[in-house]
Amino acid sequence: MARKRPHLVPIYDIRIKQLFERPKADHSFWTALAAALRVDNGAFHDQLVHLRDQAGIGEDIGVLRVFDVVAWMHQGRQGQVATS
């Protein structure tokens, strides 16, 4: 879904799950992320837009994709993902 709807659905895989320490049976990640993007008059959303602008990529790249890239890059710095 994330590939077909990049402006609507963030990537959610084992790397993201570990980064945000989500429970094994997680049914609320997307809801929690949506709430985080709205809180404080959209401050987190605005930060992602600012990062996108700093990177010099176009507005055709949605804030969810910016979130995905930042999270993946951060997780990569944390080390290898456990496969079990």
Side-chain angles (χ1 to χ4, degrees), residues 13-73:
D13 62 7
I14 188 69
R15 291 177 68 120
I16 300 299
K17 195 172 203 174
Q18 286 182 346
L19 176 64
F20 293 102
E21 300 176 354
R22 302 299 297 184
K24 187 170 185 171
D26 186 6
H27 302 289
S28 63
F29 174 75
W30 292 343
T31 304
L33 179 57
L37 290 167
R38 288 190 304 265
V39 75
D40 294 330
N41 293 320
F44 181 44
H45 178 274
D46 293 345
Q47 279 184 306
L48 293 171
V49 169
H50 180 70
L51 287 172
R52 180 182 65 195
D53 293 344
Q54 281 187 316
I57 55 179
E59 291 182 14
D60 58 319
I61 306 300
V63 295
L64 291 179
R65 273 315 141 248
V66 176
F67 169 79
D68 292 337
V69 170
V70 170
W72 260 68
M73 289 177 69

